[in-house]
Amino acid sequence: MPLHPSKLITTVIFSLVLLAAGLMLYVWLFKEQLTSTPIKVGILHSLSGTMAISEKGVVEGELLAIAEINAAGGILGRMIEPVIVDGQSHLATFARLAKKLITEDKVSVVFGCWTSSCRKTVKPIFEKYDGLLFYPVQYEGLEQSPNIVYLGLAPNQQIIPAVKWLVDHVGKRFFLVGSDYVFPHAANEIIKSQIQLLGGEIVGEEYLAVGTKDVAPVISKILSVKPDAILNTINGDTNLPFFRGLLQSKISPDKTPVMSFSIAERELAHLKPKDMVGNYASWSYFQSIDSPENKAFVSNYRKKYGQGRVTDDPIETGYFGIYLWAQAVKDANSDKIEHVKRTIKRQSLNAPEGIVYINPENLHTWRIARIGKIQSNGQFTIVWSSVKPVQPIPFPASRAEEEWTRFLQELFQKWKGHWENQGTLP
Amino acid sequence: MIKDIFSHKYFWAIILSAAFPLLLTTYIAVQIAENALQKQVADNLSLIANNKIADIDNFIQRAREDAGLLGKAPFIITAVQEAGEAVKRHEKPPASLLSGSQAQYFIRYFFSRSGYSYKDLILLSPKGEVLFSLKRPQIIGEPLNQSFLKDTQALKLFSNATTLLETQISDFEAVKGAENPEAFIATPILNGQSLLGVLVLQMDNQAITKVVSDLEGLGATGETLVGNVINHRISPEVSLRFASISDFLGQSQTLDPTFLQSFIKASKGEKGTGLMKDYRGKEVISTWRYVPSLGWAMLVKLDVEEAYSPIERMKKNMIVLGVLALGLVMTIAALVSRRLEKAENDLNRALSDLRIAMIAAEEASKTKSEFLANMSHELRTPLNAIIGYTELLQEDAEDRQLTDFGEDLTKIHISATHLLGLINEILDLSKIESGKIELCLEDVDIQSIIRSIQNLITPVIQKNDNQFVLECAPEAKMIHTDVTRLTQCLLNLLSNAAKFTKNGSITLRVTEETEITKKGEPWITFIVTDTGIGMTRPQIKKLFQPFSQADASLTRKYGGTGLGLYISKRFCEMLGGSITVVSEPEKGSTFTIYLPAKGPPM
């Protein structure tokens, strides 16, 4: 009994309908796994204003990592969609945009801020709305939050080893100079404690208003006290007249080296490296690190942003931060903040600088400490390295945690509820 | 027999429609289960690795905290100050430095706590002289860089503690006179803003070995490897499960590159999971991690054979189940297909028998009709002669005043005429059945038909004291039809009505109606209504069948062949129309003929 043609068509149509129904059922049951809506990542940095020079580099590092991950197929089959906003180097704008990214854009994570005043301004917002902030810059420590992953160096990974290195190699009489906001004040407080315990001497401590060019009084003070070394926490353009002034006053790096904590390759490219040759900086990452991972990173960065460009610690920190977060999302099998907050703990990576690892207790990052010497080409020669990553200790052991917290509160009150000295602001 | 089964088309249809989806579903289910199990094995190994790292990290963290806590303890601060004074006076610090009851209590607590195997507690001055040693009092007073610890990392730790001012732990390394590798933890002793000295705790690796060697969740073939990578070679820190460390180092040249690379990746901070061959050459599934607190690499592995044994078991079960299911399906298919094949053959045979029987029956019916047609014709000739001669005799009898004959001749004439009617009807029937009827269609005036019918039928109707009523709608004028057949049908209906009605009325109503279709063709209806005996529902059912009257008993009472209505129905159908009846017993009947005014469709 052969199948009649019309019956054959009916059978085929019926089978197709059945197949379609099966597919629809499958899609309906597994719709969560099949949706490929992009994962939104907030990028909250200054793209304009005084901080833009530094922060644009971090944005570039973060976007490079996002582009690489997307090119490799995204995370959990989903693309990463950066939501880039401009904090305009203005604290109130940062606060408004942080709230908007968390509550309106509903981003899965925010990478943002450069200055400590910025971080301290948005910290209560991230805690109130339960957001997740990855902070990519070295800082003064004395802080931790369940809503912030501190990718940057804590004092015991940057400042304290640098002071120890100077004590071992240069001398014990130090001159402290910094910009007039929370990071230099707190950093110098930590330095003072350490130097005192080491039996060293602070021969001067000066603060310059953010963005000022008037460095002459400080230079003359340095000339008069003749320190063994200068610890520099000046941020931004003021470094240009400062180093020029040192050079003109014949304060040479051979006799009185400057150890800077906020000058990396990117800042050197905007300053005059020739004025600064022989001085030092302390970071985890230098572009001159000789490893296949770093060579690939530098080459990819230049391919994307231009052959003449330089990489530095904050750029690299933004870059590996995205990768650490992506690993946590993959492990959590979800981009939800509550899950990522759990899986980000103990994430580790072979970054361009070497091993990085998220400490589960304080969400700070284990990183290798290094000291570099400035060359005339704007690069650093690495003169010392901790070899193994250093466990981050946000509260230095030289004082109790309550003492550090009290110190910060007093600073905040002295500045009338701000994280920078409004009195010296231009 | 078996060969026959395989050649059944139904057998293969059933196998395809049942066994194929069954096997496909089974295959997919096995794949899904296999993937899920592989993921579970990997997740399980990851979990074990994470737990071990957390245990090691916590252990190291606790040890650092222990050192930090002791470094802040008042009895330590006092002891260091006391010893420092002694050193200033160029005296050897007393060995009984920590013999106070409070100090003894704490030291006993820290040194007897289970899981923490501290070997010594050493106090150093900021310049590096040994101020106190719990287990080696002989080194008190010596500078650290001249003591037996001078080749260990204790020196570097001391330097870091005095300058970085933080608690640090050294690597585990072999120490002279110690059974197991040992590590130092050093912490600065601070008093306000001055550095009094350094506290050093010495501990062995037994607690960590215990964590690493714990085989929980690792079955019969799993194990955990920890160690460093030195010159692209794996240097294990804890003994292995299946080889001694020296054997392992001896065969490190022949190690699977994937295994080596995974371990190197772990030592560089990367983590992952994958398949590889281990140092025994066995296929293993591994997960690797970095252990930050010791700077080690960790690799947790399990033999594939053991890890995936549930998959193999499941596959075997599935194969057995599949074969059983296939066998079952084949048996059922064989049985069902045989039944189906047999049923189909029977059906085909019955169908062809029926077809033959039908042809024979049609043939027989045709022969019978032809015979009847011929016979009727043959019967009519002598009958016409009888009627003709009877009429002649009647005229003769009238002429000769032979009234005695007249009555008899009238009876003969009536009988013969009746017989002729019957034969004519049978002739019509046989013509219809043998398909020999020819219609003679023409335009006729309905009024004239009605008039001639009225003339013919009025006497018949009045015979039973019935009244004849004629209603003819004026718009019903012309009809294209066979006037003879139509007249025959109407006469048949009217004479039937007259036959079954007494002292009543018989009505013939003619109207024109318009078809309820797009074309709106005109139709003519002829309605014959009587007030006679009527019919029951079963009688109506049989009404239009040949050779039947409403009731057999009626035939005897009223006469007739029972062919009239059947013939009328067939004529109406031939003329493109139909005939219907509505009737109720004792109330009368209404027969309606519908005919298209423009004749039957071509």
Side-chain angles (χ1 to χ4, degrees):
Chain A
M1 188 170 55
L3 216 49
H4 194 272
S6 74
K7 274 188 184 166
L8 188 69
I9 289 168
T10 315
T11 312
V12 168
I13 289 174
F14 184 73
S15 312
L16 286 177
V17 166
L18 211 66
L19 202 69
L23 266 174
M24 275 162 69
L25 186 72
Y26 180 84
V27 168
W28 184 71
L29 285 175
F30 292 94
K31 57 176 181 261
E32 297 243 319
Q33 282 84 342
L34 291 173
T35 51
S36 55
T37 51
I39 301 177
K40 284 196 202 169
V41 170
I43 305 286
L44 174 62
H45 288 290
S46 297
L47 304 175
S48 55
T50 54
M51 292 315 298
I53 282 182
S54 297
E55 289 195 62
K56 273 182 182 170
V58 183
V59 174
E60 286 172 357
E62 287 158 0
L63 294 182
L64 174 64
I66 290 175
E68 284 178 7
I69 291 170
N70 282 344
I75 329 167
L76 310 174
R78 296 168 67 185
M79 292 291 120
I80 306 177
E81 182 193 314
V83 183
I84 307 166
V85 292
D86 180 9
Q88 298 171 349
S89 308
H90 189 250
L91 296 184
T93 309
F94 269 103
R96 182 171 54 76
L97 291 174
K99 186 180 166 188
K100 182 183 165 287
L101 283 175
I102 304 168
T103 59
E104 287 175 36
D105 297 316
K106 303 213 186 309
V107 296
S108 303
V109 66
V110 176
F111 282 75
C113 292
W114 177 286
T115 63
S116 286
S117 35
C118 171
R119 186 193 65 255
K120 284 193 182 296
T121 305
V122 300
K123 179 172 170 265
I125 296 165
F126 277 89
E127 285 168 355
K128 182 176 174 191
Y129 298 106
D130 201 20
L132 183 60
L133 174 70
F134 276 61
Y135 174 67
V137 186
Q138 53 78 226
Y139 83 118
E140 68 280 3
L142 317 184
E143 186 181 301
Q144 68 188 55
S145 165
N147 298 82
I148 300 177
V149 177
Y150 300 83
L151 299 168
L153 296 160
N156 76 306
Q157 296 168 303
Q158 185 197 23
I159 298 171
I160 296 172
V163 171
K164 170 189 159 58
W165 188 84
L166 288 172
V167 167
D168 287 353
H169 295 89
V170 180
K172 287 189 170 181
R173 296 176 71 249
F174 293 96
F175 193 97
L176 313 180
V177 58
S179 299
D180 204 2
Y181 75 100
V182 62
F183 163 66
H185 278 270
N188 285 340
E189 203 65 19
I190 292 164
I191 293 167
K192 281 187 280 180
S193 277
Q194 186 190 7
I195 289 173
Q196 192 177 3
L197 284 165
L198 297 182
E201 192 184 346
I202 307 292
V203 295
E205 180 179 358
E206 292 296 325
Y207 293 95
L208 294 164
V210 175
T212 187
K213 297 200 162 42
D214 183 17
V215 297
V218 172
I219 300 285
S220 61
K221 269 182 196 156
I222 293 172
L223 276 173
S224 68
V225 297
K226 292 194 173 52
D228 291 340
I230 300 165
L231 297 174
N232 170 27
T233 46
I234 297 174
N235 273 248
D237 299 346
T238 314
N239 277 303
L240 196 66
F242 177 70
F243 280 97
R244 174 67 51 85
L246 290 178
L247 199 69
Q248 283 165 352
S249 312
K250 305 226 162 18
I251 300 171
S252 85
D254 318 339
K255 298 236 174 68
T256 315
V258 182
M259 176 71 76
S260 300
F261 298 115
S262 297
I263 293 176
E265 287 88 335
R266 192 177 167 86
E267 285 73 31
L268 278 187
H270 289 92
L271 299 167
K272 288 209 165 56
K274 286 204 172 62
D275 295 355
M276 303 159 74
V277 172
N279 287 310
Y280 300 94
S282 172
W283 293 104
S284 264
Y285 174 86
F286 290 109
Q287 191 185 315
S288 56
I289 288 173
D290 186 19
S291 74
E293 289 83 8
N294 184 39
K295 280 185 182 138
F297 168 63
V298 172
S299 144
N300 288 340
Y301 181 82
R302 287 184 164 167
K303 221 175 276 167
K304 193 167 161 83
Y305 299 112
Q307 284 307 317
R309 301 291 302 279
V310 293
T311 57
D312 67 13
D313 187 288
I315 296 173
E316 188 250 6
T317 307
Y319 174 82
F320 79 67
I322 294 276
Y323 272 99
L324 277 175
W325 166 79
Q327 265 183 208
V329 170
K330 216 169 130 195
D331 281 0
N333 206 15
S334 154
D335 65 322
K336 289 211 172 77
I337 288 171
E338 60 196 288
H339 298 143
V340 174
K341 266 163 80 175
R342 176 172 49 79
T343 52
I344 191 66
K345 293 175 180 174
R346 300 190 190 282
Q347 282 300 340
S348 71
L349 197 66
N350 189 12
E353 67 178 59
I355 297 166
V356 293
Y357 176 89
I358 301 293
N359 203 63
E361 279 87 29
N362 52 29
L363 295 183
H364 282 58
T365 311
W366 291 58
R367 296 176 68 175
I368 296 167
R370 290 186 175 93
I371 294 169
K373 192 175 191 180
I374 299 172
Q375 307 295 301
S376 58
N377 62 359
Q379 290 292 315
F380 291 86
T381 308
I382 296 163
V383 296
W384 175 82
S385 156
S386 70
V387 185
K388 280 190 178 176
V390 178
Q391 176 170 9
I393 301 173
F395 293 89
S398 52
R399 289 191 203 172
E401 195 173 320
E402 309 83 63
E403 283 179 64
W404 289 120
T405 309
R406 200 182 316 127
F407 162 76
L408 282 178
Q409 275 167 357
E410 281 166 12
L411 213 52
F412 192 61
Q413 276 157 15
K414 195 171 87 185
W415 289 337
K416 300 181 174 65
H418 291 281
W419 289 110
E420 49 197 15
N421 190 347
Q422 303 286 305
T424 60
L425 270 184
Chain B
M1 173 70 190
I2 297 286
K3 209 176 153 195
D4 286 351
I5 288 172
F6 286 119
S7 62
H8 281 332
K9 57 195 170 191
Y10 291 114
F11 177 76
W12 290 111
I14 294 168
I15 293 286
L16 275 181
S17 59
F20 180 68
L22 182 81
L23 292 179
L24 191 71
T25 313
T26 311
Y27 177 76
I28 291 172
V30 169
Q31 287 298 313
I32 290 173
E34 190 170 344
N35 286 341
L37 193 86
Q38 280 172 356
K39 192 176 177 303
Q40 200 199 326
V41 168
D43 285 353
N44 194 31
L45 286 180
S46 291
L47 188 71
I48 291 172
N50 286 347
N51 285 342
K52 284 187 191 295
I53 290 173
D55 284 353
I56 293 172
D57 275 0
N58 289 339
F59 173 80
I60 300 292
Q61 191 60 33
R62 278 293 288 281
R64 291 166 65 113
E65 281 167 13
D66 283 356
L69 196 66
L70 279 171
K72 290 188 186 74
F75 62 87
I76 293 281
I77 290 171
T78 321
V80 174
Q81 278 169 334
E82 205 177 301
E85 294 298 320
V87 170
K88 262 185 203 160
R89 296 192 304 268
H90 301 286
E91 291 169 12
K92 193 177 164 185
S96 60
L97 210 54
L98 291 176
S99 54
S101 62
Q102 198 188 21
Q104 285 296 318
Y105 172 79
F106 276 101
I107 288 166
R108 210 177 302 125
Y109 168 72
F110 281 112
F111 278 72
S112 64
R113 199 148 46 115
S114 71
Y116 286 77
S117 37
Y118 295 123
K119 294 295 170 191
D120 200 357
L121 184 157
I122 300 168
L123 297 177
L124 299 165
S125 76
K127 285 185 181 145
E129 296 132 322
V130 178
L131 301 179
F132 176 77
S133 169
L134 191 70
K135 297 288 160 73
R136 304 180 186 88
Q138 68 276 12
I139 65 167
I140 292 174
E142 281 180 31
L144 186 66
N145 56 11
Q146 286 168 27
S147 77
F148 80 107
L149 291 171
K150 66 173 185 285
D151 298 325
T152 66
Q153 293 182 37
L155 226 55
K156 185 184 156 205
L157 275 197
F158 166 76
S159 161
N160 283 346
T162 53
T163 50
L164 296 176
L165 305 168
E166 65 180 46
T167 309
Q168 289 194 346
I169 181 165
S170 72
D171 296 336
F172 282 92
E173 59 184 355
V175 175
K176 223 189 290 173
E179 196 182 333
N180 297 305
E182 294 189 349
F184 300 96
I185 307 160
T187 188
I189 302 167
L190 305 172
N191 180 26
Q193 294 297 302
S194 64
L195 177 70
L196 298 177
V198 174
L199 179 142
V200 178
L201 277 176
Q202 195 181 356
M203 64 181 210
D204 71 12
N205 68 350
Q206 287 311 289
I208 288 167
T209 304
K210 207 177 138 198
V211 171
V212 172
S213 323
D214 180 8
L215 295 174
E216 196 182 324
L218 290 173
T221 60
E223 75 173 309
T224 307
L225 246 80
V226 289
N228 293 302
V229 175
I230 299 163
N231 296 331
H232 275 263
R233 304 268 291 270
I234 297 172
S235 163
E237 288 281 349
V238 172
S239 58
L240 309 170
R241 187 174 184 182
F242 299 108
S244 70
I245 289 182
S246 55
D247 284 351
F248 176 84
L249 292 174
Q251 62 179 34
S252 62
Q253 297 294 340
T254 59
L255 220 49
D256 175 16
T258 318
F259 183 79
L260 180 64
Q261 280 309 315
S262 304
F263 203 84
I264 290 174
K265 276 183 193 165
S267 75
K268 287 182 172 174
E270 283 181 32
K271 61 178 194 174
T273 302
L275 291 173
M276 59 194 66
K277 283 204 173 72
D278 75 348
Y279 58 88
R280 299 169 298 155
K282 289 247 185 175
E283 193 80 18
V284 293
I285 176 167
S286 303
T287 184
W288 57 90
R289 295 277 189 284
Y290 175 68
V291 188
S293 52
L294 293 167
W296 289 352
M298 175 185 280
L299 188 144
V300 183
K301 66 184 179 64
L302 186 61
D303 281 11
V304 163
E305 203 183 327
E306 182 179 2
Y308 293 167
S309 65
I311 297 180
E312 294 308 317
R313 244 194 337 270
M314 186 177 67
K315 275 185 184 165
K316 280 176 194 160
N317 282 338
M318 281 300 184
I319 288 169
V320 171
L321 280 177
V323 168
L324 283 178
L326 196 67
L328 197 68
V329 168
M330 282 171 90
T331 314
I332 292 171
L335 287 174
V336 171
S337 69
R338 275 180 62 193
R339 281 281 188 84
L340 278 175
E341 192 104 334
K342 193 167 171 290
E344 195 194 355
N345 287 343
D346 290 354
L347 201 68
N348 282 339
R349 209 172 300 129
L351 270 176
S352 70
D353 286 358
L354 274 177
R355 214 169 285 136
I356 292 163
M358 198 174 79
I359 291 166
E362 275 170 1
E363 203 60 38
S365 168
K366 212 171 162 189
T367 315
K368 177 204 78 183
S369 298
E370 276 170 8
F371 170 75
L372 274 176
N374 291 338
M375 280 308 288
S376 310
H377 186 71
E378 296 303 320
L379 287 171
R380 259 196 319 192
T381 315
L383 204 53
N384 276 332
I386 291 169
I387 292 168
Y389 283 104
T390 307
E391 282 170 356
L392 284 176
L393 282 176
Q394 277 180 314
E395 280 169 25
D396 277 358
E398 213 169 293
D399 290 347
R400 295 182 196 179
Q401 308 278 319
L402 299 171
T403 47
D404 290 356
F405 289 107
E407 203 175 321
D408 291 343
L409 284 172
T410 303
K411 280 178 183 165
I412 290 170
H413 187 258
I414 287 171
S415 296
T417 311
H418 181 67
L419 189 58
L420 184 61
L422 290 177
I423 288 170
N424 278 341
E425 281 186 352
I426 290 171
L427 187 63
D428 282 343
L429 177 75
S430 46
K431 273 183 185 165
I432 288 168
E433 300 229 313
S434 56
K436 279 182 180 164
I437 285 280
E438 276 171 21
L439 295 175
C440 175
L441 298 173
E442 55 187 328
D443 284 328
V444 282
D445 180 26
I446 293 171
Q447 302 295 332
S448 70
I449 301 174
I450 300 297
R451 260 197 307 280
S452 64
I453 285 172
Q454 189 181 13
N455 290 337
L456 282 170
I457 206 68
T458 309
V460 181
I461 286 171
Q462 285 169 350
K463 220 191 313 184
N464 274 343
D465 301 321
N466 289 320
Q467 209 183 338
F468 183 55
V469 182
L470 185 64
E471 293 171 13
C472 189
E475 64 266 24
K477 283 178 183 140
M478 298 297 285
I479 183 164
H480 186 75
T481 192
D482 184 325
V483 71
T484 321
R485 304 300 173 195
L486 174 60
T487 311
Q488 196 180 335
C489 289
L490 287 172
L491 284 177
N492 178 254
L493 291 184
L494 288 166
S495 62
N496 274 348
K499 208 188 278 178
F500 295 111
T501 309
K502 275 194 178 113
N503 297 321
S505 72
I506 289 156
T507 312
L508 171 62
R509 193 157 61 242
V510 185
T511 59
E512 194 194 62
E513 284 174 18
T514 306
E515 201 178 56
I516 317 169
T517 63
K518 270 186 199 164
K519 283 183 185 172
E521 299 283 342
W523 285 67
I524 308 293
T525 57
F526 302 89
I527 305 161
V528 177
T529 308
D530 66 50
T531 57
I533 58 172
M535 284 171 288
T536 60
R537 201 167 279 272
Q539 286 171 338
I540 291 170
K541 261 189 180 174
K542 283 194 262 173
L543 202 58
F544 291 107
Q545 288 170 11
F547 304 107
S548 83
Q549 281 183 334
D551 195 319
S553 61
L554 292 175
T555 316
R556 287 190 293 277
K557 193 174 174 188
Y558 298 101
T561 54
L563 285 175
L565 276 174
Y566 176 67
I567 291 166
S568 296
K569 178 170 175 270
R570 294 299 300 262
F571 280 160
C572 284
E573 285 167 4
M574 282 173 165
L575 293 171
S578 64
I579 183 163
T580 64
V581 64
V582 178
S583 182
E584 217 177 309
E586 310 302 331
K587 294 257 171 82
S589 309
T590 300
F591 286 83
T592 309
I593 290 173
Y594 299 90
L595 287 178
K598 291 182 179 173
M602 299 308 284

